Amino acid sequence: MSSSGVEQGVVVADSEPPRGNRSRYAFACAILASMTSIILGYDIGVMSGASIFIKDDLKLSDVQLEILMGILNIYSLIGSGAAGRTSDWIGRRFTIVLAGAFFFCGALLMGFATNYPFIMVGRFVAGIGVGYAMMIAPVYTAEVAPASSRGFLSSFPEIFINIGILLGYVSNYFFSKLPEHLGWRFMLGVGAVPSVFLAIGVLAMPESPRWLVLQGRLGDAFKVLDKTSNTKEEAISRLNDIKRAAGIPDDMTDDVIVVPNKKSAGKGVWKDLLVRPTPSVRHILIACLGIHFAQQASGIDAVVLYSPTIFSKAGLKSKNDQLLATVAVGVVKTLFIVVGTCVVDRFGRRALLLTSMGGMFLSLTALGTSLTVIDRNPGQTLKWAIGLAVTTVMTFVATFSIGAGPVTWVYCSEIFPVRLRAQGASLGVMLNRLMSGIIGMTFLSLSKGLTIGGAFLLFAGVAAAAWVFFFTFLPETRGMPLEEMESLFGSYTANKKKHSVNKDNEVVDEQ
C-alpha cells in the first residue's frame, strides 16, 4: 500500500458509513466473536443442574461425577495449546469457526449419550472447543477494538459466558420437568443450536487487522481499521503502530508486502516467551499467569458448577428450590458482569481487580463460616446461617463479576506484544482451564476432607494472596495503545507512578 494507497483507502472510507457508526461496527464484531462464549457458558451452567439427574440416571459415584464435571477443562488444554498456533496460521476468524464446530459435535454427542464413556467422549470434543474459544474471542476483540473502548469490548466474552451460564441454569429448571432419562439429554443437546448461528454470523466478521499486517496484507488491514476507528487519522496511526510492532519498515506501504523475517506461523515465539524473554515479557507472562491462576483458584467454578450442592448443604432441601436459587446466582452474576464491563474503561483494570478480590475474600470468609456453623449443628434450622450462606454466595459471584471475571480476559488479551499475543494468551487460558478443571474435579472430595465450610475458607486464603499479588505486580493499562503496552512492564512492580490516565482515557507520563 503506497502512500497513495493509504490515501485511496481514505477516499474509499468516505463512501462507507459515517464516522459515528464506526464504534457500532467494532461493537458488532465483538458481539459476533463473543458468540462462542455463550456456548461455553451454557455448557458450564447446564452441567450444574444436569449433573443431579445424570448421577441418578447413569448411577454414577461422587468421584465419577466430579470427574465428569471438571474434565471438560482438562480436555480444553488441548484446544488452548493449539489455539495460538492455529490462529496465527488460519487467522482469528476461522479459528472461531473451528471452535464452534467442536461445540456443535460435542453437544450432540453428549445429548445422545447412553452411558458414562459415551458422555465422556462428548465432553472431550466440547472441551477442545472450549480451549479454542476462551483464547480466541478476547484476543480477536482486543485486536479489532480502538484503545478508547478496548476494555469495554474485550469484556464481551465474559458477559456472554455469563449469559450462557444463566441460559444453562434456566434450561435446567425447565427441562427438569421431563422424565429423568430425557431431561438431562435435552439440557445438553440443545447446546448445539447456538453453534449454527455462530457459523452464519462469522461470515459477516472481518479478520483481525493485526493478523492481516503479520501476513503482509496492509491494504486489507487498513480497511478494517478504517471501519473500527473513530477518525481516519486514528486508523492510519493504528496501522503505523502495528507495522512498527511487527517490525515492518515505514517505507513498506504497498497493499500487499512480504513481511521481513516473517514469523506469522508462530516460529520462535515460544523461545521468546519462555526460554529467553526480555524483562518486560517475563513480567507480562508472570502477570498473565498470576491473574488467571487467581481467578480460578479462588473458587468461582466450585460455586458455578456445584451451586445446587452448596445450597443443599446450606439447608435448601428440594431440588426445585436448589435450581431456583441457582438461577438467581446466574442472574446476579450476569448483571454484575455488565456493571464491570461498563466501568472497566472508566475506573481502570487495576482498581476493579483490587475491589473485586477484596470483596471475594470477605464473601468467601463469611460463606465458609456460615457453612461451618450449619455443618456443626445438624438437625437444627439456623435461619440466620442459612440466610448468610445464600446471601454470601450471591455477593461472591457479584464481586467476582465486577472485576476478576471480565478484567482477567481484558488484561491478558492486551498486555502481550503483537507477535507473542496469541501464544501468550493461550498459555494464560491453559492455566485458567487447568485450575478450573482441578477445582471442578476435586471440590466434592475437598468438601469431604476439609468440610464444605473449610473448602471455602481455603478459597478465601487464595483470594487474600491474590489481592497482594495484584497490588504489587499489576500496572494499570487503561487507555494505552496495544503497541506501547510493553513499556509498562519490566520492573516487577505495579509502576503506579510511572503512568497515569487523564479524563480523556489517554496515558500520560508523569516523569
Side-chain angles (χ1 to χ4, degrees), residues 230-432:
N230 295 318
T231 65
K232 298 174 184 179
E233 292 75 16
E234 181 185 359
I236 296 172
S237 175
R238 289 174 68 188
L239 178 61
N240 290 335
D241 288 343
I242 297 169
K243 286 171 60 180
R244 281 192 293 271
I248 298 174
D250 291 339
D251 58 358
M252 298 184 72
T253 57
D254 292 328
D255 285 346
V256 179
I257 65 170
V258 176
V259 179
N261 301 317
K262 181 178 178 181
K263 296 183 179 180
S264 60
K267 296 179 181 178
V269 168
W270 294 116
K271 180 179 179 181
D272 293 344
L273 265 176
L274 302 175
V275 181
R276 295 179 182 174
T278 63
S280 58
V281 169
R282 187 180 293 113
H283 184 187
I284 287 170
L285 185 61
I286 291 172
C288 176
L289 296 179
I291 193 172
H292 273 293
F293 175 86
Q295 187 201 51
Q296 290 300 327
S298 52
I300 185 61
D301 271 12
V303 172
V304 171
L305 289 173
Y306 295 102
S307 287
T309 301
I310 295 168
F311 289 129
S312 174
K313 296 288 186 181
L316 301 182
K317 298 305 180 184
S318 77
K319 288 182 179 179
N320 191 66
D321 289 345
Q322 293 164 17
L323 291 176
L324 277 176
T326 300
V327 171
V329 170
V331 171
V332 170
K333 199 168 186 294
T334 302
L335 289 176
F336 278 87
I337 279 285
V338 174
V339 172
T341 298
C342 291
V343 300
V344 67
D345 283 318
R346 180 176 181 183
F347 295 111
R349 288 61 160 150
R350 180 180 162 82
L352 287 184
L353 282 172
L354 292 173
T355 301
S356 172
M357 199 56 68
M360 290 165 61
F361 167 74
L362 295 176
S363 298
L364 287 165
T365 301
L367 176 59
T369 301
S370 61
L371 289 172
T372 299
V373 170
I374 293 170
D375 190 49
R376 292 183 178 180
N377 293 275
Q380 299 185 41
T381 302
L382 303 174
K383 292 185 178 180
W384 70 268
I386 294 172
L388 181 61
V390 173
T391 301
T392 50
V393 167
M394 303 301 173
T395 59
F396 171 65
V397 297
T399 51
F400 172 87
S401 297
I402 62 170
V407 176
T408 295
W409 303 103
V410 173
Y411 200 87
C412 294
S413 67
E414 66 187 5
I415 57 178
F416 284 98
V418 62
R419 196 174 71 83
L420 309 180
R421 186 169 299 129
Q423 281 87 343
S426 71
L427 281 178
V429 173
M430 289 175 68
L431 179 60
N432 186 287

